[in-house]
Amino acid sequence: MLPAQFRMTRSAEFGATVSRGVRAAQPDLVLYTLRSDDTGVPGPRIGLIVSKAVGNAVQRHHVSRRLRHAARAILDDLDPAERVVIRALPRSRDAISPRLEQELRTALQRIRARAGASA
């Protein structure tokens, strides 16, 4: 489970991360990252978007639990000022947890590679 201190809860935070963040798509999810100027909040913040396109409420909840578990595994790879939003795609309902974790890591590596190339 993802500890509460690392969860993104404010709509404005979600909106800023999705609209201004760097995006990397994978078959089962899309990852958005944004460095935050807000130093008052300790640690990275992670938010999930699991729409009705993923499935019914039970399926969405199941996908959310698996994504939170996968997100916890990548916490150590994130910078404390980083904000991350994970958007589940409809295919994520059939994906197993290790696959979701691997896709998160791959998307994060792609974003870091892009950031390194542009810097």
Side-chain angles (χ1 to χ4, degrees):
M1 189 53 62
L2 187 64
Q5 69 191 32
F6 299 118
R7 291 187 195 167
M8 192 180 297
T9 57
R10 294 189 337 238
S11 177
E13 230 177 339
F14 274 91
T17 304
V18 171
S19 65
R20 293 183 304 170
V22 181
R23 175 185 175 280
Q26 291 291 300
D28 300 321
L29 55 90
V30 179
L31 186 73
Y32 302 89
T33 65
L34 179 68
R35 287 221 187 266
S36 174
D37 298 332
D38 182 14
T39 56
V41 181
R45 307 270 288 173
I46 298 174
L48 300 177
I49 299 173
V50 184
S51 74
K52 287 186 177 183
V54 172
N56 64 30
V58 172
Q59 292 167 327
R60 291 193 311 268
H61 186 66
H62 191 237
V63 168
S64 295
R65 281 191 320 228
R66 285 186 286 151
L67 284 174
R68 278 194 300 271
H69 181 74
R72 183 176 184 202
I74 67 162
L75 272 176
D76 293 336
D77 300 338
L78 298 175
D79 185 83
E82 217 160 5
R83 303 297 174 252
V84 176
V85 171
I86 305 164
R87 179 185 300 272
L89 298 176
R91 284 187 50 182
S92 64
R93 112 181 116 241
D94 300 321
I96 59 174
S97 294
R99 178 176 168 172
L100 291 173
E101 184 179 336
Q102 182 57 45
E103 287 188 13
L104 276 175
R105 290 187 188 284
T106 302
L108 194 58
Q109 287 172 355
R110 283 186 180 171
I111 288 172
R112 298 263 163 81
R114 253 187 260 152
S118 66

